[in-house]
Amino acid sequence: MKKVQLCCIIDDDPIFVYGTKRIIKEVDFAESILVYNNGQDALDGLTKIFLAKEPLPDVIFLDLNMPILNGWEFLDEFKNCQSERSKSITIYIISSSVDPRDLERVKDYDQVDNYILKPITPDDLAKILGAVVEG
């Protein structure tokens, strides 16, 4: 099965990040993994990658509740700096929140493909691969 070239995790929980990286490697989901601990670090890092014309992530796993710049604020900023290159990035919200308002708010963001409850499972990754790689 094909895999994603570059995947990005934006989450401040080191246990979640560790577990997710392990599952990504186990199911051979991605060639490389980028990790940012908050939305601001992610915006800064992705901007540098973009300006250097390096490959952007195919998939971003985004937590909503983080310090400095949370997931919603990241999405608002990211939406403002869209380009043809960044439009190919698929964002998945990965959250422990079951708040119906969050599920409703996600619909305001075109690039958010789905809302996945933590923890992410090998099954979730298989579905994502099917959607992203097979198109």
Side-chain angles (χ1 to χ4, degrees):
M1 183 182 250
K2 285 185 167 185
K3 61 180 159 180
V4 167
Q5 281 306 304
L6 180 60
C7 138
C8 178
I9 302 169
I10 306 172
D11 197 306
D12 63 321
D13 177 354
I15 294 165
F16 172 78
V17 169
Y18 173 78
T20 303
K21 283 170 73 174
R22 272 194 60 177
I23 292 170
I24 286 171
K25 287 179 180 141
E26 267 173 37
V27 301
D28 205 21
F29 177 83
E31 200 63 50
S32 308
I33 306 167
L34 268 177
V35 178
Y36 297 105
N37 294 318
N38 64 64
Q40 189 60 58
D41 287 352
L43 272 179
D44 295 345
L46 293 171
T47 300
K48 280 183 190 150
I49 290 169
F50 181 79
L51 293 174
K53 298 196 177 350
E54 293 171 7
L56 290 165
D58 303 291
V59 174
I60 292 176
F61 296 121
L62 177 65
D63 184 28
L64 292 177
N65 300 312
M66 295 178 288
I68 304 169
L69 195 69
N70 70 32
W72 298 120
E73 294 164 332
F74 170 84
L75 285 169
D76 289 335
E77 291 293 322
F78 191 78
K79 195 162 68 169
N80 292 336
C81 55
Q82 287 292 303
S83 77
E84 285 311 307
R85 284 182 62 216
S86 62
K87 282 194 169 101
S88 62
I89 300 172
T90 306
I91 299 173
Y92 292 87
I93 302 290
I94 310 290
S95 181
S96 50
S97 168
V98 288
D99 186 334
R101 291 172 300 191
D102 287 342
L103 297 169
E104 198 53 41
R105 190 171 174 190
V106 143
K107 295 175 185 168
D108 295 337
Y109 299 92
D110 292 341
Q111 268 188 293
V112 175
D113 191 75
N114 209 339
Y115 191 102
I116 300 169
L117 284 176
K118 285 182 175 182
I120 200 162
T121 66
D123 217 31
D124 292 328
L125 292 177
K127 286 179 190 151
I128 292 167
L129 261 186
V132 174
V133 177
E134 271 90 58

